[in-house]
Amino acid sequence: QPLAVTGGRFRLANGTPLEAAATARESVIELGFDTALLGAPLSLAAFHRADAGNIRGVGDTGAAFSWRLGF
């Protein structure tokens, strides 16, 4: 997993305090598949992120595909 700030505070120039710590650790699972369809490369992928953006309870799920034809 990438590094994440686990604690710390700082103040902006105008004196506003900010908390620098992440509230959770993001984890990702991804599944991909590559093949050829009608002689052109085809890629399929699906993913799920738990605690997306290092924010506890936020989830993100998605899918993508690409198919390229040349002429």
Side-chain angles (χ1 to χ4, degrees):
Q1 287 187 336
L3 296 175
V5 176
T6 58
R9 293 175 215 205
F10 57 94
R11 290 189 181 275
L12 298 177
N14 65 5
T16 305
L18 290 178
E19 187 71 34
T23 60
R25 295 288 299 212
E26 178 178 309
S27 59
V28 178
I29 185 167
E30 183 172 346
L31 178 65
F33 178 75
D34 292 323
T35 189
L37 179 65
L38 301 175
L42 172 69
S43 297
L44 305 167
F47 69 90
H48 176 73
R49 293 189 306 166
D51 298 331
N54 295 326
I55 301 170
R56 188 172 313 284
V58 175
D60 186 14
T61 302
F65 74 93
S66 69
W67 185 46
R68 295 183 305 261
L69 284 175
F71 60 92

